[in-house]
Amino acid sequence: MILTIFFSNIIELLIFTFFYKSLLSSNENKKYEYIIIYLLCFLIKCIINLLNNAQLNISASFLMYLLLILKFSDSKLIYKLLSLSIYEGLAIFSESITYHIFQLLTLTNENEFLQMFSSKLFLFLFILLIKNYKYIVDEDYIDIKNSLLLSFQPLSIILFIYVSNGETIVNSKNSTLTILSLALLIISSFISFYIFGETIRKNKIKNELDFEKARLKESELYYASLKKSIYDSKAYRHDLKHHFSTLKSMIYLKKYEEAYEFINSLYDKTCELSDIRSGDEFIDLVLTSRLHKIYSLNIKMYFEIRPLDLNFINYMDLNTIYANIIDNAINSCEKCKNRYIKIQTQSNNQYQIIKVINSCAYVNKVDDSFISTNKNNKEHGFGLFNIKKTAQKYNGFVQFKFNHDSQEFITIIIFKNNAKKNNSSK
C-alpha cells in the first residue's frame, strides 16, 4: 500500500505538471523553489493518503495543486481555477472508472498497483485530449461567465463526491451502470469544453474585427487630420501678406494696443500651425495632427531620440502604435496639473526600444490590465490593446506600468533586431 501511494503521488504530480504547463503560461522560478515546493506537496499528499479519507484526499489535492499553479503560472486567476477544476474532475473520473472496471474483473484487492497505474493512464489520456484545444490557452478571450459555466460541471461532481465521502461510487452495487454514468459525465464534460472553446474562438474573431475597425478608424482620422493641417497651413500662408499689411497700417496709425493684440493672435495661430521637431520623422507626422490639443492643454514635450530602423513595420501599423501611445499620453495629461510627455527611442545590436513617459493622475486596473479612464470607454478602450496587438504582430514586447510615486504612466515597446528578417518591408 505504501509503495502504491508513493508511486501514485509521483506519477500524479508529473501528470499535473504536464497539464498546467500545456494549458497555462509558466513563469520563471529557481530550481530549488521547484524542488522544495514539489517535495512539500508530495510528502503532504502521501501522509494524507495513508489516512484513507476521500474528503481529506480531495481537499489536499485541490489545495496542493492550487499552490503549484499560483506559484508557477502567470495565467489569470479565473483560468487557473477553471483548469484546476477540470483537472480534479478528470482525476476523480479516472479513479472511479478504473475502480469499477477492476470490480467487474474482480481484481480490486489483488492488483492494487495495477489499478493505480491504470487510473493514471486514463487521466493522462484525458489530458492529452484536452491539450488538443490549444486556442483555449489564448487567455485574452476568456470571459468570467463562460469560465464559471464550464467549471460548474466538474466542480459539482467534486463537491458531490466530497460530501458523500466517496461512498456513492465505492458502494455502488451495479458497476456496469456506474461506469456508463461516469463515461457519460466525461463525454458531457468534453462537449462543454468544446462549446467553451468555440465561444473563445468567436470572442477572438470578434475582438480581432473590433481591433481592425479601430485601427482603420485611427488611420482615417490621422490622414484626415494631416490633410486638414496641410490645407490650413497653405491657407494661412496665403493670408499672411494681408495680416502683415493690416499690422503695418495699425503701427502707422499708432494703434499700438490693437497691434499688440493682433500680434498675439498671429502668434497663437502660428503655434497651432507649427510643428514639433523630435528628430524622428514618423513621430513628427503623428504629433502634427495633435498639435492643437497639445498646445491648448499646455503639454510640455521632451525628446531623447536615437535613430531607429523600423522599416520592417507596415506604415499603418507604425501609425497605430505611435498614434495610440500619444493619444493615451495626451488623455492622461489632461487630468494632471503638471502636464508633460517624454518620448525616448534608442537602439543597440540586439534591440530597438520606444519608451514614452507621461504625467498621469490615476489609472484603472482590472485583472492586471489597464483600461481606459475616458468616459466613453467603448470608443476609447482599444488604445492599449491595439498597441499590444500590433507590436506582437512583429514579435514585439510591450509593457505598461504606472508609477504611483512620480505619478507617471510608462509605455515601453521593444523589438528585436532580427524581427525585420521575419517580416516583409513596407
Side-chain angles (χ1 to χ4, degrees):
M1 179 181 177
I2 294 176
L3 190 64
T4 302
I5 290 173
F6 180 83
F7 281 103
S8 172
N9 285 311
I10 288 178
I11 295 171
E12 190 164 334
L13 280 169
L14 290 173
I15 291 174
F16 181 74
T17 303
F18 172 76
F19 171 79
Y20 85 75
K21 286 197 173 183
S22 297
L23 266 70
L24 304 174
S25 55
S26 302
N27 55 22
E28 296 295 328
N29 286 275
K30 296 179 180 178
K31 287 185 179 179
Y32 74 86
E33 291 180 326
Y34 279 101
I35 294 170
I36 292 172
I37 294 176
Y38 268 80
L39 185 60
L40 181 65
C41 291
F42 172 73
L43 292 173
I44 292 173
K45 277 179 63 63
C46 284
I47 292 168
I48 291 176
N49 287 159
L50 288 171
L51 299 176
N52 199 27
N53 183 292
Q55 289 180 334
L56 279 175
N57 284 338
I58 292 171
S59 301
S61 294
F62 193 89
L63 291 174
M64 292 301 102
Y65 295 143
L66 182 61
L67 171 65
L68 289 177
I69 59 177
L70 287 176
K71 176 63 180 173
F72 300 125
S73 172
D74 286 330
S75 295
K76 293 180 180 178
L77 181 60
I78 185 67
Y79 190 45
K80 289 178 182 178
L81 295 174
L82 166 64
S83 302
L84 181 56
S85 65
I86 291 170
Y87 177 84
E88 281 290 295
L90 290 176
I92 292 172
F93 289 153
S94 302
E95 289 187 13
S96 302
I97 284 181
T98 307
Y99 174 82
H100 282 282
I101 289 174
F102 274 69
Q103 281 278 73
L104 283 174
L105 300 174
T106 64
L107 297 171
T108 307
N109 298 322
E110 296 144 7
N111 293 274
E112 188 180 66
F113 187 84
L114 181 60
Q115 180 181 329
M116 177 276 296
F117 185 79
S118 300
S119 72
K120 303 309 175 194
L121 181 60
F122 270 120
L123 176 59
F124 184 68
L125 291 174
F126 291 143
I127 300 304
L128 284 179
L129 284 173
I130 286 178
K131 190 174 178 288
N132 289 330
Y133 296 101
K134 292 182 187 271
Y135 48 79
I136 288 185
V137 179
D138 213 338
E139 297 175 39
D140 288 336
Y141 308 99
I142 293 177
D143 57 272
I144 294 176
K145 179 184 174 183
N146 284 309
S147 298
L148 292 175
L149 287 173
L150 181 61
S151 304
F152 179 76
Q153 190 174 36
L155 284 175
S156 61
I157 300 301
I158 295 168
L159 184 62
F160 175 72
I161 294 172
Y162 179 85
V163 172
S164 65
N165 203 26
E167 293 178 5
T168 305
I169 292 176
V170 174
N171 297 329
S172 174
K173 294 179 181 179
N174 192 330
S175 294
T176 304
L177 184 61
T178 304
I179 291 170
L180 289 173
S181 300
L182 290 169
L184 287 172
L185 280 171
I186 292 173
I187 291 169
S188 63
S189 293
F190 274 99
I191 291 172
S192 297
F193 202 71
Y194 173 78
I195 293 170
F196 182 67
E198 287 297 301
T199 303
I200 290 173
R201 188 175 65 83
K202 289 176 182 177
N203 287 345
K204 184 175 181 179
I205 292 171
K206 181 181 180 298
N207 281 15
E208 286 177 349
L209 286 173
D210 289 340
F211 165 72
E212 290 300 326
K213 286 179 182 176
R215 194 178 72 158
L216 184 61
K217 183 178 180 182
E218 167 59 37
S219 297
E220 288 174 352
L221 289 172
Y222 165 68
Y223 287 115
S225 179
L226 191 58
K227 186 178 178 181
K228 184 178 182 299
S229 295
I230 293 170
Y231 176 82
D232 288 345
S233 181
K234 287 181 178 179
Y236 181 71
R237 283 201 302 270
H238 177 267
D239 291 338
L240 202 56
K241 61 181 179 180
H242 301 301
H243 296 323
F244 279 119
S245 177
T246 303
L247 182 61
K248 184 179 178 181
S249 298
M250 287 179 177
I251 295 172
Y252 179 78
L253 295 172
K254 298 183 180 182
K255 295 182 178 180
Y256 301 121
E257 188 173 341
E258 290 88 341
Y260 180 76
E261 290 177 2
F262 191 73
I263 290 171
N264 281 338
S265 65
L266 280 177
Y267 175 79
D268 291 339
K269 184 65 177 176
T270 304
C271 285
E272 287 181 15
L273 294 172
S274 64
D275 56 0
I276 295 177
R277 297 295 180 181
S278 67
D280 183 288
E281 183 180 354
F282 205 93
I283 293 175
D284 292 344
L285 283 172
V286 175
L287 288 171
T288 298
S289 61
R290 291 155 176 82
L291 283 179
H292 177 74
K293 193 167 186 180
I294 291 171
Y295 285 127
S296 64
L297 291 173
N298 196 26
I299 298 173
K300 296 177 182 177
M301 301 295 302
Y302 302 96
F303 303 101
E304 292 179 21
I305 303 297
R306 300 290 182 274
L308 297 181
D309 180 12
L310 299 177
N311 289 327
F312 59 92
I313 301 179
N314 178 280
Y315 277 121
M316 187 175 286
D317 290 332
L318 194 58
N319 179 54
T320 297
I321 292 170
Y322 278 130
N324 279 293
I325 291 176
I326 292 168
D327 283 345
N328 179 68
I330 292 171
N331 290 332
S332 295
C333 287
E334 197 169 354
K335 303 171 182 68
C336 303
K337 291 182 179 178
N338 182 23
R339 297 166 180 167
Y340 59 86
I341 298 173
K342 301 175 184 177
I343 301 177
Q344 303 170 341
T345 63
Q346 57 179 301
S347 63
N348 53 39
N349 292 332
Q350 290 183 303
Y351 304 105
Q352 303 199 64
I353 303 166
I354 302 166
K355 185 176 182 181
V356 178
I357 304 169
N358 59 268
S359 52
C360 182
Y362 65 92
V363 294
N364 289 337
K365 197 172 184 182
V366 177
D367 290 335
D368 296 325
S369 297
F370 294 103
I371 62 173
S372 174
T373 57
N374 287 297
K375 292 180 180 179
N376 192 352
N377 196 269
K378 284 187 177 180
E379 183 177 348
H380 298 285
F382 291 104
L384 299 182
F385 174 80
N386 285 357
I387 296 168
K388 190 173 183 180
K389 182 81 175 177
T390 307
Q392 286 175 346
K393 180 178 174 181
Y394 299 90
N395 298 317
F397 167 80
V398 181
Q399 183 183 41
F400 304 112
K401 57 184 179 180
F402 176 66
N403 190 320
H404 288 273
D405 296 330
S406 61
Q407 295 284 281
E408 291 178 331
F409 190 84
I410 304 166
T411 302
I412 300 173
I413 302 177
I414 301 174
F415 294 105
K416 289 184 178 179
N417 280 335
N418 60 7
K420 52 189 173 186
K421 298 178 183 178
N422 303 321
N423 292 278
S424 58
S425 61
K426 294 181 245 186

